[in-house]
Amino acid sequence: MNNNLVLSIVIVTYKRINRVIDILEDLKLQSFKNFEVIIVSDGCKSAFDERLKKYSKIFSIQNIDTNLKNKYGLATARNIGLKASKCEYCILIDD
């Protein structure tokens, strides 16, 4: 993994692990690797953790469980991901 991260990719999801895995597979193919991935999931962190292990060897990745039970919506989940970002630039992706 590269310590010179310049881009945060924030993926917001609600129990759609297969869609997130598809996104991660696409990111894995990118030639540009100076990014971190922040997944903001609602109530399904444990299901994600096991499936994300292989991607943590490829790029910086963190999984945040909001535990909001979809109560506050997409905007709040996005803001949580942006606050966790370590980079100057961010991209928001919804599953």
Side-chain angles (χ1 to χ4, degrees):
M1 283 184 285
N2 192 330
N3 291 333
N4 300 318
L5 301 174
V6 296
L7 177 67
S8 294
I9 301 170
V10 178
I11 304 171
V12 177
T13 187
Y14 181 71
K15 297 183 180 181
R16 294 178 65 180
I17 190 167
N18 290 332
R19 297 285 291 188
V20 172
I21 296 299
D22 289 344
I23 294 167
L24 294 175
E25 283 296 315
D26 289 339
L27 290 174
K28 186 170 78 169
L29 300 174
Q30 299 300 308
S31 58
F32 178 81
K33 299 288 187 189
N34 294 3
F35 61 85
E36 67 175 346
V37 176
I38 301 167
I39 299 170
V40 183
S41 54
D42 188 7
C44 53
K45 183 179 186 313
S46 60
F48 273 80
D49 282 346
E50 203 53 42
R51 304 245 339 242
L52 296 178
K53 281 183 183 177
K54 75 176 188 176
Y55 297 101
S56 65
K57 295 178 177 104
I58 301 166
F59 39 74
S60 174
I61 189 166
Q62 64 176 303
N63 183 19
I64 301 168
D65 184 5
T66 62
N67 245 350
L68 299 176
K69 306 296 183 228
N70 209 22
K71 185 175 173 183
Y72 299 104
L74 182 60
T76 300
R78 284 179 175 167
N79 286 334
I80 290 169
L82 291 172
K83 286 180 184 174
S85 170
K86 299 176 190 123
C87 302
E88 183 176 356
Y89 301 102
C90 296
I91 294 175
L92 300 170
I93 300 176
D94 305 328
D95 69 356

